[in-house]
Amino acid sequence: MPERMVGKQAPKFEMEAVLPNKEFGIVSLEENMKNDKWSVLFFYPMDFTSVCPTEIISLSDRYDEFEDLDAEVIGVSTDTIHTHLAWIKTNRKENGLGELNYPLAADTNHVVSREYGVLIEEEGIALRGLFIISQQGELMYSVINHNNIGRDVDETLRVLQALQTGGLCPANWKPGQATL
């Protein structure tokens, strides 16, 4: 049985990434913590696929909302930074990503995917895992689903806002509603 991660310190990570300005750089959990930022870390299977761009673009289009909540979004696959850059430079009408507002990181050695429990070992790709990590590095939320199903940006924002209330949020809680 896998070990529980929610409520514990998130595995630290540092990965090469393609930054929003299309330059190569490094992303790390420690940097986000140092900058007092929440981390929304999401894994996807691979570049140049069909479901992945729908959610990557949706998150990018709503990036300002994450930024308003002091959260940094980081996308991760096991592809290289060079493949990421080629996909970003590909027009959206041609199954590319176009401009992105957050970095895409490369977990080419599979260490981070394995530590977060999303690696499909025999294929060398990640499941669709999404993790919300507090400014102190505590893993607050984890969801992993089959690669056929894209994620809901509204739900990710709702959960982030619920976590940031610090209170008890009942079923179907929406931002602005009272906590318990």
Side-chain angles (χ1 to χ4, degrees), residues 109-145:
N109 61 10
H110 305 169
V111 169
V112 181
S113 300
R114 189 174 291 115
E115 287 180 343
Y116 277 84
V118 298
L119 183 65
I120 303 172
E121 292 280 350
E122 58 276 9
E123 296 179 41
I125 63 171
L127 289 165
R128 292 188 197 285
L130 185 135
F131 303 87
I132 299 177
I133 305 164
S134 75
Q135 297 142 311
Q136 295 77 34
E138 181 181 354
L139 183 58
M140 304 291 287
Y141 177 80
S142 167
V143 63
I144 301 170
N145 56 275

